[in-house]
Amino acid sequence: LAMLVPMQLIATSNTETFGPVIPKAFAAARAGNHEEAMKLFWQVDPARRANEQIGAFGGQNTVHRMGWKYQAWLNGYNGGPLRVPTSRLVGSQMRMLRKGAEDSGLDVTSDNDEDFFLGRNPA
């Protein structure tokens, strides 16, 4: 869309899932470097497809905030608990999301998935 109309930002959309790729793609699109923007867009397609499996497209019909937070944690964000009610995030979903991020070439933490539930800065 940024290639068609002038956009100033991308608001709440789980972009932290993709590490630094989306800001780079957005900057490339705004600068008119559409080929680079699309290269970056398709680079993270495995992570995008994994995300679709746990969200509205995966049958939940709501935003999977715990999944979003886990994806951000993979990229260095805090992690930790969310207030209830929240969606349940299980091991198979975490493995799928981690694989999608790794297949996208993102710099994914080597921390154990169990550490996500504690967070990097526990209270």
Side-chain angles (χ1 to χ4, degrees), residues 13-95:
S13 61
N14 196 27
T15 56
E16 65 270 28
T17 294
F18 309 109
V21 174
I22 297 303
K24 289 178 183 177
F26 189 63
R30 290 193 66 191
N33 188 349
H34 300 163
E35 187 173 318
E36 177 66 14
M38 291 309 298
K39 176 184 166 220
L40 292 166
F41 175 85
W42 288 113
Q43 174 190 325
V44 294
D45 192 55
R48 187 175 17 264
R49 289 182 184 271
N51 183 60
E52 288 176 355
Q53 296 303 307
I54 66 161
F57 299 105
Q60 183 167 321
N61 298 321
T62 62
V63 173
H64 198 306
R65 300 275 183 207
M66 185 68 84
W68 280 20
K69 191 167 188 180
Y70 173 74
Q71 291 168 302
W73 176 82
L74 288 172
N75 285 292
Y77 285 69
N78 183 47
L82 287 172
R83 64 174 177 77
V84 293
T86 187
S87 302
R88 184 173 182 181
L89 185 65
V90 298
S92 60
Q93 292 170 318
M94 295 167 90
R95 287 188 296 276

